[in-house]
Amino acid sequence: MSLALMACAALVACKDNGGDGGAKNPYNADITTPANCYIVAPGSVTRFVANIGNTAEKAQFATAELTWQDAQGLITKVEGQAANGAVVVTTAAGAQGNALVSVKDADGKVVWSYHVWVTNYNPETDALTMSFSKTIDEVTTDYSFTMMDRHLGAMGTEGEAAHGLHYNWGRPTPLFAAAATDGSGYKALFDMEGDTVKVALQAPVEDVANCVTTAIANPTTQYNGGSECNFSWLSRDYAKTAECDDMWGGVSSTQTKYDPCPAGWRVAPYNAYRFADSSITPVFEWEKVYKDGEVANGNFLGINVKANGKSYYFPAAGESGPNGKWGSGIGTTWPNGKVWSCVSDGANCRAWAMTMTPSSVSHAGGTTYSYALPVRCVKL
């Protein structure tokens, strides 16, 4: 069993009774703690609970199927166990990547979807730990965070492998996989047959409750809300959008049912990105990273944050805007490295994102919900 499986509290090893006359358990692991993201080992048969996010509510479904995978042949089989409230996924040996698995009702409507992160990565290993203080108006606040060393869905910590997946703010599952380092945009997604799956764009209904329901039922659609509310997919009504401030735990500081992180983790608050803030104590050491050492806009690759005796890379992974077009990736005239925080500014139809460019780094830049950006997780 991989280190990722052994270390994750959500994974419970199955007993093999074959030696004492019992039936051999067909699963390498059972994941019994519900979440929207499940870490699964390559070359394994894994069963996970199919709940509504991290809640105790079981998804009421009839079938389960692969919606997309970012590497052909990554997922070799998906089995829905509706009676048990579970899904079984089989992964190819030696392959790593990301997949989206959806459970559907008898009419074929998506009830819920789950990000399957196929990797040998152990989130507990080499995590970025940080403790610091910030004084505002003579009031000092202490902060302490343990952050994953990579974006959610990333296959590594360097280059294109570090880019991870992209999400609309507040949605529980990713829209697409990492962009190419040359700024060319979206990485290809595939169905079980190897055909490409495209991310669509369409404006949702106006009512905020129906917006969320519609997004759950259509996990490959990057929604916007038109110009009335700065292209927010959640609503065209500022007051209704403000009701959604805790979708990723920005108010409650918990993992919510819409949180896209694995069990035991949650989307980072913007205070976790204060490593570029020169007014905290102690101050973090960090540096901008450029391709081939050339200090020019198009060669900007991101930043390295130094802590725990090593460097942690935050890539300029680019973004997908409310118009569904890719922009600001590495190799463009102005690469950026926005990363969502869990904190929302609903009154202004936006959320806060760590934002870095060739000229600046900010722990909290306002970005409308309909942008698709990477996510970083911190421990609960």
Side-chain angles (χ1 to χ4, degrees):
M1 185 179 294
S2 71
L3 288 175
L5 295 181
M6 289 189 290
C8 188
L11 300 181
V12 179
C14 299
K15 183 180 180 182
D16 182 353
N17 294 318
D20 55 12
K24 184 175 181 179
N25 198 305
Y27 311 120
N28 297 104
D30 264 342
I31 304 179
T32 58
T33 302
N36 291 312
C37 171
Y38 295 114
I39 298 176
V40 172
S44 67
V45 180
T46 303
R47 182 169 64 178
F48 60 79
V49 288
N51 288 19
I52 302 300
N54 69 339
T55 73
E57 180 184 357
K58 297 289 186 181
Q60 301 302 308
F61 68 97
T63 61
E65 64 181 47
L66 176 72
T67 301
W68 57 255
Q69 55 189 337
D70 63 6
Q72 289 177 306
L74 177 70
I75 305 295
T76 60
K77 185 178 179 181
V78 175
E79 175 194 354
Q81 296 184 346
N84 297 328
V87 174
V88 179
V89 294
T90 304
T91 60
Q96 297 192 67
N98 296 281
L100 191 68
V101 172
S102 299
V103 292
K104 296 183 175 182
D105 64 18
D107 296 324
K109 180 181 177 180
V110 173
V111 176
W112 205 261
S113 298
Y114 306 93
H115 167 209
V116 178
W117 193 1
V118 186
T119 177
N120 286 315
Y121 167 57
N122 178 358
E124 304 287 342
T125 302
D126 293 328
L128 168 56
T129 57
M130 47 188 153
S131 297
F132 56 88
S133 299
K134 173 72 175 179
T135 301
I136 301 176
D137 296 331
E138 299 184 350
V139 176
T140 299
T141 304
D142 296 324
Y143 297 96
S144 182
F145 301 101
T146 298
M147 180 182 284
M148 288 187 185
D149 72 352
R150 64 197 66 190
H151 289 343
L152 187 55
M155 291 296 109
T157 57
E158 297 179 355
E160 181 179 334
H163 287 195
L165 301 173
H166 286 63
Y167 299 74
N168 281 149
W169 189 91
R171 292 179 71 169
T173 51
L175 281 166
F176 51 83
T181 54
D182 62 2
S184 60
Y186 312 106
K187 187 176 179 181
L189 304 177
F190 306 96
D191 61 19
M192 191 71 83
E193 288 70 40
D195 296 325
T196 57
V197 176
K198 294 186 180 296
V199 174
L201 177 77
Q202 99 184 36
V205 291
E206 294 186 8
D207 181 71
V208 68
N210 288 336
C211 283
V212 176
T213 302
T214 301
I216 296 300
N218 297 277
T220 61
T221 299
Q222 180 182 349
Y223 288 104
N224 67 31
S227 59
E228 291 91 337
C229 193
N230 294 336
F231 298 99
S232 167
W233 74 271
L234 282 166
S235 177
R236 298 186 185 188
D237 184 326
Y238 278 70
K240 287 185 177 180
T241 304
E243 297 173 5
C244 299
D245 280 351
D246 201 40
M247 287 189 73
W248 274 1
V251 178
S252 61
S253 298
T254 61
Q255 185 189 55
T256 66
K257 77 174 183 178
Y258 298 110
D259 191 297
C261 296
W265 300 79
R266 68 182 182 96
V267 177
Y270 66 69
N271 280 315
Y273 296 112
R274 284 191 181 272
F275 41 68
D277 185 346
S278 60
S279 65
I280 63 172
T281 304
V283 176
F284 279 81
E285 183 181 353
W286 63 276
E287 62 183 1
K288 295 181 181 179
V289 181
Y290 290 86
K291 181 179 179 181
D292 301 325
E294 298 180 13
V295 182
N297 288 350
N299 292 317
F300 178 66
L301 302 180
I303 63 172
N304 276 331
V305 177
K306 298 182 179 181
N308 312 331
K310 63 173 293 186
S311 290
Y312 295 85
Y313 180 49
F314 290 79
E319 63 191 24
S320 182
N323 59 359
K325 294 182 179 180
W326 181 259
S328 302
I330 292 170
T332 59
T333 57
W334 198 255
N336 73 56
K338 295 177 183 175
V339 187
W340 282 128
S341 82
C342 66
V343 184
S344 171
D345 178 21
N348 293 298
C349 284
R350 64 183 183 177
W352 300 106
M354 190 272 280
T355 304
M356 55 186 175
T357 71
S359 65
S360 65
V361 178
S362 171
H363 67 280
T367 305
T368 184
Y369 303 121
S370 291
Y371 274 84
L373 305 176
V375 164
R376 205 89 160 198
C377 303
V378 295
K379 289 196 69 172
L380 289 170

